[in-house]
Amino acid sequence: MGQLVAIVGRPNVGKSTLFNRLTGSRTAIVDPTAGTTRDRQYGKVDWGGREFSIVDTGGWVVNSEDIFEGEINKQVHLAIEQADVILFVVDAMNGVTDLDDSVAQILRRSKKPVILVANKVDGNDWLYNVPEFYSLGLGDPYPVSAINGYGTGDLLDEIVKDLPKEDDETAGLDDIPKFAIVGRPNAGKSSLINAFIGEDRHIVTDIAGTTRDSIYTRYNKFDFDFYLVDTAGIRKKAKVNEDIEYYSVIRSIRAIEASDVCILMIDATRGIEAQDVNIFSLIQRNKKGLVVVINKWDIAEDKSQTAITHFENAIRQRFAPFTDFPIVFASALTKQRIFKVLETAVKVYEARRRTIPTSQLNTYMQEVISAYPPPSNKGKFIKIKYVTMLKGAQIPTFIFFCNLPQWVKEPYRRYLENKIREKWDFHGTPINIFMREK
């Protein structure tokens, strides 16, 4: 399971630029909220064979400097509560500010590893400003330039060194499905959890996780047997007045990474929103199975088949190109179709673990390829010799061996994936398609 690194710091110190540098992307997720513009960014980093999640928020735009400082402090408290490692970003060009001191006071009292990052060292002259940050009492500042990449390799080495050991925290949990219920605030996650585990006599074990604070609640009634992946944030309110959207993102990362299948809750009374798409992207990046639950269907204004079809089409359109996942219309409050949710999640888990014999796979796929061979490129013809399914992979993974793998483009990979899905049931789980030279 991955681990979480949080970026904190005052505005305009280059947090988003550093995020883009570490993740190798230029993607920012924008969430407009009542006159406030914030970039909510989260992604994956792979360095030296270690993979971890990284989360950041953009600068806050508020009218009062006191509120400004208070909101930043909330983010720091959340990072301390949820993250494994904290990156405290400061500006080497401007030196130490009062706001830096305020954040440093909070971080010094924490027991989490804190890496002090002196950003904007865009030339050798700015290195002379870096020692000033020793006054923050957080150890050696790492001079970096997020904009040109200077020092980021050493920074990543330090992050990986400070991450907790990759213990198998699910050891002893048996080979039982692990389901996570995720979604934006007020979508009905707690109500669904209560509907599942409302009777204490049916809860066999609550197994606390490691530093990641995941909790596994075993549910075994009505012929179901699975672990419900929960986090401390679901079971108790945060002790700070957190920004609820930011907190939901961090909490979702925790639950998603610990699970096999994610049950994504969407509020039927509000429709699909940007935060739903953001959490879906987290599920996709972590390559987890997916069941979408339209909650509060009992109070929806229009429950006709036309409305159901319209809702399903809107969801698949927003989540494209991955559209092969089940959608269940339910009500956690009235327990309408909640067992259908469980049955569907189990089916997705089974699809995730499905294996296809090599002989069957080749017989079918050779017919598919003959019917529509890969397009030629610059007069060169691609010949796919055979295909096999990789054993022990996290998700169903198919390796196609051919003479010119570099010329097989994404549209043809999607064609192969669609044909595989037509023949075998991989409903709800992502699929990997790789081309290798024969």
Side-chain angles (χ1 to χ4, degrees), residues 13 18 21-22 87-93 115-134 139-156 158:
V13 294
L18 180 63
R21 172 65 60 177
L22 296 183
L87 300 185
F88 178 26
V89 184
V90 292
D91 187 338
M93 292 185 178
I115 300 175
L116 181 59
V117 182
N119 191 29
K120 301 187 182 179
V121 182
D122 299 333
N124 290 334
D125 291 344
W126 298 111
L127 283 170
Y128 296 107
N129 291 4
V130 173
E132 178 183 351
F133 295 103
Y134 279 100
D140 297 333
Y142 276 77
V144 304
S145 173
I147 200 166
N148 64 35
Y150 167 77
T152 52
D154 291 338
L155 175 61
L156 282 165
E158 181 62 24

mmCIF file of all heavy atoms in Angstrom, residues 13 18 21-22 87-93 115-134 139-156 158:
data_model
loop_
_atom_site.group_PDB
_atom_site.id
_atom_site.type_symbol
_atom_site.label_atom_id
_atom_site.label_comp_id
_atom_site.label_asym_id
_atom_site.label_seq_id
_atom_site.Cartn_x
_atom_site.Cartn_y
_atom_site.Cartn_z
ATOM 1 N N VAL A 13 5.027 30.215 -2.200
ATOM 2 C CA VAL A 13 6.377 29.700 -1.971
ATOM 3 C C VAL A 13 6.728 28.626 -3.003
ATOM 4 O O VAL A 13 7.839 28.089 -2.978
ATOM 5 C CB VAL A 13 6.533 29.124 -0.545
ATOM 6 C CG1 VAL A 13 6.418 30.224 0.484
ATOM 7 C CG2 VAL A 13 5.529 28.013 -0.286
ATOM 8 N N LEU A 18 6.391 22.686 -7.002
ATOM 9 C CA LEU A 18 7.125 21.545 -6.465
ATOM 10 C C LEU A 18 6.314 20.266 -6.656
ATOM 11 O O LEU A 18 6.864 19.214 -7.021
ATOM 12 C CB LEU A 18 7.425 21.763 -4.984
ATOM 13 C CG LEU A 18 8.195 20.632 -4.283
ATOM 14 C CD1 LEU A 18 9.575 20.459 -4.905
ATOM 15 C CD2 LEU A 18 8.311 20.909 -2.785
ATOM 16 N N ARG A 21 6.681 19.165 -10.164
ATOM 17 C CA ARG A 21 8.020 18.647 -10.403
ATOM 18 C C ARG A 21 8.156 17.220 -9.871
ATOM 19 O O ARG A 21 8.689 16.340 -10.544
ATOM 20 C CB ARG A 21 9.051 19.567 -9.739
ATOM 21 C CG ARG A 21 10.485 19.038 -9.751
ATOM 22 C CD ARG A 21 11.050 18.927 -11.146
ATOM 23 N NE ARG A 21 11.095 20.203 -11.835
ATOM 24 C CZ ARG A 21 11.599 20.383 -13.053
ATOM 25 N NH1 ARG A 21 12.091 19.339 -13.723
ATOM 26 N NH2 ARG A 21 11.591 21.559 -13.639
ATOM 27 N N LEU A 22 7.660 16.975 -8.660
ATOM 28 C CA LEU A 22 7.828 15.654 -8.049
ATOM 29 C C LEU A 22 6.967 14.594 -8.730
ATOM 30 O O LEU A 22 7.347 13.426 -8.815
ATOM 31 C CB LEU A 22 7.486 15.713 -6.553
ATOM 32 C CG LEU A 22 8.396 16.601 -5.696
ATOM 33 C CD1 LEU A 22 7.987 16.518 -4.232
ATOM 34 C CD2 LEU A 22 9.860 16.234 -5.854
ATOM 35 N N LEU A 87 6.254 17.963 3.984
ATOM 36 C CA LEU A 87 7.191 18.872 3.329
ATOM 37 C C LEU A 87 6.777 20.302 3.664
ATOM 38 O O LEU A 87 5.699 20.741 3.270
ATOM 39 C CB LEU A 87 7.184 18.675 1.804
ATOM 40 C CG LEU A 87 7.551 17.304 1.243
ATOM 41 C CD1 LEU A 87 7.601 17.358 -0.285
ATOM 42 C CD2 LEU A 87 8.873 16.819 1.800
ATOM 43 N N PHE A 88 7.610 20.994 4.408
ATOM 44 C CA PHE A 88 7.343 22.390 4.766
ATOM 45 C C PHE A 88 8.144 23.265 3.808
ATOM 46 O O PHE A 88 9.364 23.330 3.879
ATOM 47 C CB PHE A 88 7.744 22.641 6.210
ATOM 48 C CG PHE A 88 7.571 24.061 6.680
ATOM 49 C CD1 PHE A 88 6.640 24.909 6.098
ATOM 50 C CD2 PHE A 88 8.344 24.561 7.726
ATOM 51 C CE1 PHE A 88 6.484 26.220 6.528
ATOM 52 C CE2 PHE A 88 8.195 25.857 8.173
ATOM 53 C CZ PHE A 88 7.262 26.693 7.560
ATOM 54 N N VAL A 89 7.435 23.935 2.900
ATOM 55 C CA VAL A 89 8.077 24.705 1.838
ATOM 56 C C VAL A 89 8.170 26.168 2.245
ATOM 57 O O VAL A 89 7.171 26.778 2.661
ATOM 58 C CB VAL A 89 7.304 24.564 0.509
ATOM 59 C CG1 VAL A 89 8.033 25.299 -0.613
ATOM 60 C CG2 VAL A 89 7.140 23.092 0.141
ATOM 61 N N VAL A 90 9.375 26.722 2.131
ATOM 62 C CA VAL A 90 9.617 28.140 2.410
ATOM 63 C C VAL A 90 10.295 28.759 1.183
ATOM 64 O O VAL A 90 10.736 28.055 0.282
ATOM 65 C CB VAL A 90 10.488 28.317 3.672
ATOM 66 C CG1 VAL A 90 9.737 27.886 4.916
ATOM 67 C CG2 VAL A 90 11.795 27.532 3.545
ATOM 68 N N ASP A 91 10.368 30.077 1.186
ATOM 69 C CA ASP A 91 10.856 30.830 0.031
ATOM 70 C C ASP A 91 12.262 31.363 0.320
ATOM 71 O O ASP A 91 12.438 32.247 1.166
ATOM 72 C CB ASP A 91 9.895 31.984 -0.259
ATOM 73 C CG ASP A 91 10.221 32.725 -1.549
ATOM 74 O OD1 ASP A 91 11.378 32.649 -1.999
ATOM 75 O OD2 ASP A 91 9.324 33.373 -2.110
ATOM 76 N N ALA A 92 13.268 30.831 -0.391
ATOM 77 C CA ALA A 92 14.658 31.253 -0.161
ATOM 78 C C ALA A 92 14.894 32.689 -0.596
ATOM 79 O O ALA A 92 15.820 33.343 -0.098
ATOM 80 C CB ALA A 92 15.612 30.314 -0.894
ATOM 81 N N MET A 93 14.082 33.207 -1.474
ATOM 82 C CA MET A 93 14.267 34.587 -1.937
ATOM 83 C C MET A 93 13.799 35.607 -0.904
ATOM 84 O O MET A 93 14.381 36.670 -0.756
ATOM 85 C CB MET A 93 13.509 34.802 -3.259
ATOM 86 C CG MET A 93 14.087 34.045 -4.446
ATOM 87 S SD MET A 93 13.218 34.460 -5.977
ATOM 88 C CE MET A 93 14.144 33.473 -7.172
ATOM 89 N N ILE A 115 10.330 17.663 6.621
ATOM 90 C CA ILE A 115 11.457 18.039 5.771
ATOM 91 C C ILE A 115 11.276 19.497 5.377
ATOM 92 O O ILE A 115 10.270 19.878 4.778
ATOM 93 C CB ILE A 115 11.525 17.147 4.522
ATOM 94 C CG1 ILE A 115 11.693 15.673 4.923
ATOM 95 C CG2 ILE A 115 12.682 17.583 3.629
ATOM 96 C CD1 ILE A 115 11.641 14.713 3.752
ATOM 97 N N LEU A 116 12.251 20.301 5.747
ATOM 98 C CA LEU A 116 12.208 21.732 5.442
ATOM 99 C C LEU A 116 12.779 21.957 4.044
ATOM 100 O O LEU A 116 13.939 21.618 3.772
ATOM 101 C CB LEU A 116 13.012 22.504 6.484
ATOM 102 C CG LEU A 116 13.059 24.026 6.351
ATOM 103 C CD1 LEU A 116 11.661 24.627 6.408
ATOM 104 C CD2 LEU A 116 13.945 24.620 7.430
ATOM 105 N N VAL A 117 11.962 22.507 3.158
ATOM 106 C CA VAL A 117 12.339 22.674 1.755
ATOM 107 C C VAL A 117 12.472 24.165 1.450
ATOM 108 O O VAL A 117 11.486 24.904 1.479
ATOM 109 C CB VAL A 117 11.290 22.038 0.818
ATOM 110 C CG1 VAL A 117 11.733 22.172 -0.638
ATOM 111 C CG2 VAL A 117 11.058 20.581 1.179
ATOM 112 N N ALA A 118 13.706 24.603 1.198
ATOM 113 C CA ALA A 118 13.949 25.997 0.830
ATOM 114 C C ALA A 118 13.861 26.106 -0.688
ATOM 115 O O ALA A 118 14.817 25.785 -1.411
ATOM 116 C CB ALA A 118 15.311 26.455 1.331
ATOM 117 N N ASN A 119 12.724 26.549 -1.179
ATOM 118 C CA ASN A 119 12.470 26.595 -2.615
ATOM 119 C C ASN A 119 12.963 27.916 -3.223
ATOM 120 O O ASN A 119 13.317 28.849 -2.506
ATOM 121 C CB ASN A 119 10.970 26.415 -2.873
ATOM 122 C CG ASN A 119 10.656 26.186 -4.339
ATOM 123 O OD1 ASN A 119 11.478 25.653 -5.084
ATOM 124 N ND2 ASN A 119 9.483 26.603 -4.772
ATOM 125 N N LYS A 120 12.961 27.972 -4.540
ATOM 126 C CA LYS A 120 13.340 29.146 -5.346
ATOM 127 C C LYS A 120 14.836 29.436 -5.269
ATOM 128 O O LYS A 120 15.258 30.591 -5.384
ATOM 129 C CB LYS A 120 12.521 30.372 -4.942
ATOM 130 C CG LYS A 120 11.010 30.172 -5.102
ATOM 131 C CD LYS A 120 10.240 31.457 -4.863
ATOM 132 C CE LYS A 120 8.741 31.232 -4.981
ATOM 133 N NZ LYS A 120 7.964 32.467 -4.733
ATOM 134 N N VAL A 121 15.642 28.385 -5.054
ATOM 135 C CA VAL A 121 17.098 28.546 -5.170
ATOM 136 C C VAL A 121 17.415 28.383 -6.654
ATOM 137 O O VAL A 121 17.943 27.355 -7.099
ATOM 138 C CB VAL A 121 17.837 27.506 -4.304
ATOM 139 C CG1 VAL A 121 19.343 27.698 -4.395
ATOM 140 C CG2 VAL A 121 17.398 27.611 -2.846
ATOM 141 N N ASP A 122 17.073 29.417 -7.417
ATOM 142 C CA ASP A 122 17.180 29.341 -8.873
ATOM 143 C C ASP A 122 18.560 29.705 -9.387
ATOM 144 O O ASP A 122 18.804 29.712 -10.595
ATOM 145 C CB ASP A 122 16.138 30.263 -9.519
ATOM 146 C CG ASP A 122 14.715 29.860 -9.138
ATOM 147 O OD1 ASP A 122 14.504 28.663 -8.848
ATOM 148 O OD2 ASP A 122 13.834 30.732 -9.111
ATOM 149 N N GLY A 123 19.460 30.030 -8.490
ATOM 150 C CA GLY A 123 20.844 30.333 -8.859
ATOM 151 C C GLY A 123 21.720 30.221 -7.626
ATOM 152 O O GLY A 123 21.231 30.187 -6.486
ATOM 153 N N ASN A 124 23.017 30.157 -7.831
ATOM 154 C CA ASN A 124 23.944 29.974 -6.703
ATOM 155 C C ASN A 124 23.858 31.094 -5.676
ATOM 156 O O ASN A 124 24.090 30.878 -4.479
ATOM 157 C CB ASN A 124 25.379 29.840 -7.208
ATOM 158 C CG ASN A 124 25.614 28.530 -7.939
ATOM 159 O OD1 ASN A 124 24.924 27.548 -7.686
ATOM 160 N ND2 ASN A 124 26.564 28.518 -8.869
ATOM 161 N N ASP A 125 23.520 32.298 -6.109
ATOM 162 C CA ASP A 125 23.473 33.432 -5.179
ATOM 163 C C ASP A 125 22.440 33.212 -4.076
ATOM 164 O O ASP A 125 22.625 33.666 -2.934
ATOM 165 C CB ASP A 125 23.158 34.728 -5.933
ATOM 166 C CG ASP A 125 24.311 35.161 -6.836
ATOM 167 O OD1 ASP A 125 25.429 34.643 -6.628
ATOM 168 O OD2 ASP A 125 24.085 35.982 -7.739
ATOM 169 N N TRP A 126 21.348 32.512 -4.409
ATOM 170 C CA TRP A 126 20.289 32.319 -3.422
ATOM 171 C C TRP A 126 20.665 31.283 -2.374
ATOM 172 O O TRP A 126 20.003 31.197 -1.335
ATOM 173 C CB TRP A 126 18.983 31.918 -4.124
ATOM 174 C CG TRP A 126 18.482 32.970 -5.067
ATOM 175 C CD1 TRP A 126 18.422 32.918 -6.412
ATOM 176 C CD2 TRP A 126 17.989 34.263 -4.703
ATOM 177 N NE1 TRP A 126 17.927 34.083 -6.940
ATOM 178 C CE2 TRP A 126 17.649 34.932 -5.899
ATOM 179 C CE3 TRP A 126 17.802 34.930 -3.488
ATOM 180 C CZ2 TRP A 126 17.142 36.221 -5.922
ATOM 181 C CZ3 TRP A 126 17.285 36.220 -3.508
ATOM 182 C CH2 TRP A 126 16.966 36.845 -4.703
ATOM 183 N N LEU A 127 21.718 30.502 -2.616
ATOM 184 C CA LEU A 127 22.161 29.525 -1.614
ATOM 185 C C LEU A 127 22.590 30.200 -0.318
ATOM 186 O O LEU A 127 22.500 29.614 0.757
ATOM 187 C CB LEU A 127 23.316 28.686 -2.168
ATOM 188 C CG LEU A 127 22.944 27.581 -3.160
ATOM 189 C CD1 LEU A 127 24.201 27.000 -3.811
ATOM 190 C CD2 LEU A 127 22.159 26.467 -2.455
ATOM 191 N N TYR A 128 23.068 31.449 -0.420
ATOM 192 C CA TYR A 128 23.542 32.160 0.780
ATOM 193 C C TYR A 128 22.384 32.500 1.722
ATOM 194 O O TYR A 128 22.619 32.789 2.905
ATOM 195 C CB TYR A 128 24.286 33.446 0.375
ATOM 196 C CG TYR A 128 25.542 33.178 -0.419
ATOM 197 C CD1 TYR A 128 25.592 33.445 -1.785
ATOM 198 C CD2 TYR A 128 26.674 32.632 0.188
ATOM 199 C CE1 TYR A 128 26.746 33.196 -2.524
ATOM 200 C CE2 TYR A 128 27.829 32.368 -0.538
ATOM 201 C CZ TYR A 128 27.853 32.651 -1.895
ATOM 202 O OH TYR A 128 28.996 32.385 -2.622
ATOM 203 N N ASN A 129 21.139 32.484 1.211
ATOM 204 C CA ASN A 129 19.985 32.793 2.054
ATOM 205 C C ASN A 129 19.480 31.573 2.826
ATOM 206 O O ASN A 129 18.727 31.711 3.788
ATOM 207 C CB ASN A 129 18.826 33.327 1.203
ATOM 208 C CG ASN A 129 19.120 34.708 0.633
ATOM 209 O OD1 ASN A 129 20.211 35.232 0.813
ATOM 210 N ND2 ASN A 129 18.156 35.282 -0.059
ATOM 211 N N VAL A 130 19.892 30.377 2.396
ATOM 212 C CA VAL A 130 19.327 29.154 2.955
ATOM 213 C C VAL A 130 19.618 28.980 4.444
ATOM 214 O O VAL A 130 18.730 28.570 5.216
ATOM 215 C CB VAL A 130 19.791 27.922 2.142
ATOM 216 C CG1 VAL A 130 19.364 26.625 2.813
ATOM 217 C CG2 VAL A 130 19.233 27.986 0.716
ATOM 218 N N PRO A 131 20.844 29.265 4.943
ATOM 219 C CA PRO A 131 21.116 29.053 6.376
ATOM 220 C C PRO A 131 20.170 29.801 7.311
ATOM 221 O O PRO A 131 20.008 29.412 8.472
ATOM 222 C CB PRO A 131 22.565 29.537 6.534
ATOM 223 C CG PRO A 131 23.176 29.334 5.186
ATOM 224 C CD PRO A 131 22.080 29.644 4.211
ATOM 225 N N GLU A 132 19.538 30.859 6.817
ATOM 226 C CA GLU A 132 18.597 31.619 7.648
ATOM 227 C C GLU A 132 17.481 30.730 8.189
ATOM 228 O O GLU A 132 16.960 30.975 9.289
ATOM 229 C CB GLU A 132 18.011 32.760 6.818
ATOM 230 C CG GLU A 132 16.971 33.598 7.547
ATOM 231 C CD GLU A 132 16.364 34.673 6.661
ATOM 232 O OE1 GLU A 132 16.872 34.870 5.528
ATOM 233 O OE2 GLU A 132 15.385 35.300 7.102
ATOM 234 N N PHE A 133 17.136 29.676 7.459
ATOM 235 C CA PHE A 133 16.000 28.843 7.833
ATOM 236 C C PHE A 133 16.325 27.867 8.960
ATOM 237 O O PHE A 133 15.429 27.196 9.466
ATOM 238 C CB PHE A 133 15.461 28.107 6.612
ATOM 239 C CG PHE A 133 14.872 29.027 5.572
ATOM 240 C CD1 PHE A 133 15.582 29.339 4.422
ATOM 241 C CD2 PHE A 133 13.638 29.618 5.764
ATOM 242 C CE1 PHE A 133 15.059 30.202 3.474
ATOM 243 C CE2 PHE A 133 13.101 30.477 4.833
ATOM 244 C CZ PHE A 133 13.810 30.781 3.683
ATOM 245 N N TYR A 134 17.591 27.787 9.368
ATOM 246 C CA TYR A 134 17.904 26.991 10.553
ATOM 247 C C TYR A 134 17.199 27.549 11.788
ATOM 248 O O TYR A 134 16.951 26.830 12.757
ATOM 249 C CB TYR A 134 19.417 26.965 10.791
ATOM 250 C CG TYR A 134 20.160 25.968 9.938
ATOM 251 C CD1 TYR A 134 20.841 26.365 8.798
ATOM 252 C CD2 TYR A 134 20.178 24.614 10.270
ATOM 253 C CE1 TYR A 134 21.525 25.462 8.003
ATOM 254 C CE2 TYR A 134 20.855 23.689 9.485
ATOM 255 C CZ TYR A 134 21.532 24.116 8.358
ATOM 256 O OH TYR A 134 22.201 23.210 7.578
ATOM 257 N N GLY A 139 15.666 21.417 11.545
ATOM 258 C CA GLY A 139 16.763 20.686 10.931
ATOM 259 C C GLY A 139 17.290 21.342 9.673
ATOM 260 O O GLY A 139 17.049 22.531 9.421
ATOM 261 N N ASP A 140 18.023 20.553 8.894
ATOM 262 C CA ASP A 140 18.678 21.082 7.696
ATOM 263 C C ASP A 140 17.662 21.432 6.621
ATOM 264 O O ASP A 140 16.837 20.580 6.235
ATOM 265 C CB ASP A 140 19.656 20.049 7.126
ATOM 266 C CG ASP A 140 20.789 19.726 8.084
ATOM 267 O OD1 ASP A 140 21.121 20.600 8.902
ATOM 268 O OD2 ASP A 140 21.337 18.609 8.010
ATOM 269 N N PRO A 141 17.709 22.653 6.106
ATOM 270 C CA PRO A 141 16.849 22.996 4.978
ATOM 271 C C PRO A 141 17.428 22.422 3.680
ATOM 272 O O PRO A 141 18.637 22.464 3.461
ATOM 273 C CB PRO A 141 16.866 24.526 4.962
ATOM 274 C CG PRO A 141 18.125 24.916 5.656
ATOM 275 C CD PRO A 141 18.476 23.821 6.606
ATOM 276 N N TYR A 142 16.548 21.864 2.863
ATOM 277 C CA TYR A 142 16.974 21.322 1.573
ATOM 278 C C TYR A 142 16.784 22.383 0.500
ATOM 279 O O TYR A 142 15.651 22.743 0.174
ATOM 280 C CB TYR A 142 16.169 20.067 1.222
ATOM 281 C CG TYR A 142 16.705 18.815 1.849
ATOM 282 C CD1 TYR A 142 16.476 18.547 3.193
ATOM 283 C CD2 TYR A 142 17.480 17.920 1.124
ATOM 284 C CE1 TYR A 142 16.993 17.405 3.794
ATOM 285 C CE2 TYR A 142 18.005 16.775 1.708
ATOM 286 C CZ TYR A 142 17.751 16.523 3.042
ATOM 287 O OH TYR A 142 18.278 15.402 3.629
ATOM 288 N N PRO A 143 17.885 22.905 -0.068
ATOM 289 C CA PRO A 143 17.736 23.913 -1.131
ATOM 290 C C PRO A 143 17.306 23.258 -2.438
ATOM 291 O O PRO A 143 17.924 22.297 -2.904
ATOM 292 C CB PRO A 143 19.147 24.505 -1.253
ATOM 293 C CG PRO A 143 20.069 23.417 -0.771
ATOM 294 C CD PRO A 143 19.301 22.633 0.247
ATOM 295 N N VAL A 144 16.219 23.731 -3.009
ATOM 296 C CA VAL A 144 15.730 23.196 -4.276
ATOM 297 C C VAL A 144 15.239 24.341 -5.150
ATOM 298 O O VAL A 144 14.989 25.461 -4.671
ATOM 299 C CB VAL A 144 14.564 22.189 -4.080
ATOM 300 C CG1 VAL A 144 14.969 21.057 -3.156
ATOM 301 C CG2 VAL A 144 13.307 22.872 -3.591
ATOM 302 N N SER A 145 15.113 24.029 -6.415
ATOM 303 C CA SER A 145 14.419 24.917 -7.345
ATOM 304 C C SER A 145 13.363 24.084 -8.046
ATOM 305 O O SER A 145 13.677 23.288 -8.935
ATOM 306 C CB SER A 145 15.384 25.525 -8.370
ATOM 307 O OG SER A 145 14.657 26.244 -9.349
ATOM 308 N N ALA A 146 12.120 24.262 -7.621
ATOM 309 C CA ALA A 146 11.035 23.464 -8.207
ATOM 310 C C ALA A 146 10.868 23.770 -9.680
ATOM 311 O O ALA A 146 10.460 22.907 -10.456
ATOM 312 C CB ALA A 146 9.729 23.730 -7.458
ATOM 313 N N ILE A 147 11.247 24.979 -10.085
ATOM 314 C CA ILE A 147 10.999 25.378 -11.467
ATOM 315 C C ILE A 147 11.994 24.755 -12.434
ATOM 316 O O ILE A 147 11.664 24.482 -13.587
ATOM 317 C CB ILE A 147 10.995 26.918 -11.581
ATOM 318 C CG1 ILE A 147 10.271 27.334 -12.862
ATOM 319 C CG2 ILE A 147 12.408 27.485 -11.520
ATOM 320 C CD1 ILE A 147 9.916 28.792 -12.914
ATOM 321 N N ASN A 148 13.242 24.505 -11.982
ATOM 322 C CA ASN A 148 14.217 23.893 -12.889
ATOM 323 C C ASN A 148 14.711 22.527 -12.424
ATOM 324 O O ASN A 148 15.511 21.884 -13.111
ATOM 325 C CB ASN A 148 15.405 24.836 -13.143
ATOM 326 C CG ASN A 148 16.220 25.119 -11.893
ATOM 327 O OD1 ASN A 148 16.396 24.266 -11.032
ATOM 328 N ND2 ASN A 148 16.736 26.343 -11.788
ATOM 329 N N GLY A 149 14.255 22.079 -11.253
ATOM 330 C CA GLY A 149 14.574 20.735 -10.803
ATOM 331 C C GLY A 149 15.797 20.614 -9.927
ATOM 332 O O GLY A 149 16.106 19.509 -9.448
ATOM 333 N N TYR A 150 16.492 21.716 -9.661
ATOM 334 C CA TYR A 150 17.702 21.647 -8.843
ATOM 335 C C TYR A 150 17.378 21.108 -7.446
ATOM 336 O O TYR A 150 16.459 21.580 -6.776
ATOM 337 C CB TYR A 150 18.321 23.043 -8.722
ATOM 338 C CG TYR A 150 19.391 23.156 -7.651
ATOM 339 C CD1 TYR A 150 20.668 22.666 -7.866
ATOM 340 C CD2 TYR A 150 19.098 23.734 -6.416
ATOM 341 C CE1 TYR A 150 21.644 22.753 -6.885
ATOM 342 C CE2 TYR A 150 20.065 23.830 -5.423
ATOM 343 C CZ TYR A 150 21.338 23.336 -5.666
ATOM 344 O OH TYR A 150 22.304 23.422 -4.690
ATOM 345 N N GLY A 151 18.117 20.090 -7.007
ATOM 346 C CA GLY A 151 17.996 19.575 -5.648
ATOM 347 C C GLY A 151 16.830 18.635 -5.403
ATOM 348 O O GLY A 151 16.713 18.088 -4.302
ATOM 349 N N THR A 152 15.968 18.435 -6.403
ATOM 350 C CA THR A 152 14.777 17.620 -6.143
ATOM 351 C C THR A 152 15.112 16.136 -6.010
ATOM 352 O O THR A 152 14.397 15.396 -5.335
ATOM 353 C CB THR A 152 13.718 17.825 -7.237
ATOM 354 O OG1 THR A 152 14.319 17.625 -8.526
ATOM 355 C CG2 THR A 152 13.148 19.232 -7.178
ATOM 356 N N GLY A 153 16.185 15.692 -6.654
ATOM 357 C CA GLY A 153 16.594 14.299 -6.498
ATOM 358 C C GLY A 153 17.014 13.995 -5.071
ATOM 359 O O GLY A 153 16.608 12.981 -4.482
ATOM 360 N N ASP A 154 17.823 14.891 -4.480
ATOM 361 C CA ASP A 154 18.223 14.712 -3.080
ATOM 362 C C ASP A 154 17.016 14.784 -2.160
ATOM 363 O O ASP A 154 16.935 14.056 -1.153
ATOM 364 C CB ASP A 154 19.239 15.798 -2.679
ATOM 365 C CG ASP A 154 20.584 15.612 -3.372
ATOM 366 O OD1 ASP A 154 20.869 14.474 -3.803
ATOM 367 O OD2 ASP A 154 21.327 16.601 -3.489
ATOM 368 N N LEU A 155 16.074 15.666 -2.489
ATOM 369 C CA LEU A 155 14.858 15.783 -1.681
ATOM 370 C C LEU A 155 14.062 14.486 -1.722
ATOM 371 O O LEU A 155 13.588 14.008 -0.679
ATOM 372 C CB LEU A 155 14.010 16.948 -2.191
ATOM 373 C CG LEU A 155 12.636 17.134 -1.517
ATOM 374 C CD1 LEU A 155 12.798 17.403 -0.030
ATOM 375 C CD2 LEU A 155 11.854 18.262 -2.191
ATOM 376 N N LEU A 156 13.916 13.894 -2.885
ATOM 377 C CA LEU A 156 13.175 12.637 -2.996
ATOM 378 C C LEU A 156 13.878 11.514 -2.237
ATOM 379 O O LEU A 156 13.224 10.669 -1.621
ATOM 380 C CB LEU A 156 13.011 12.260 -4.471
ATOM 381 C CG LEU A 156 11.924 13.035 -5.229
ATOM 382 C CD1 LEU A 156 12.078 12.855 -6.733
ATOM 383 C CD2 LEU A 156 10.539 12.604 -4.791
ATOM 384 N N GLU A 158 15.530 11.873 0.481
ATOM 385 C CA GLU A 158 15.240 12.101 1.895
ATOM 386 C C GLU A 158 13.793 11.711 2.220
ATOM 387 O O GLU A 158 13.528 11.136 3.284
ATOM 388 C CB GLU A 158 15.469 13.574 2.242
ATOM 389 C CG GLU A 158 15.214 13.932 3.694
ATOM 390 C CD GLU A 158 16.144 13.209 4.670
ATOM 391 O OE1 GLU A 158 17.248 12.798 4.238
ATOM 392 O OE2 GLU A 158 15.773 13.047 5.845
#
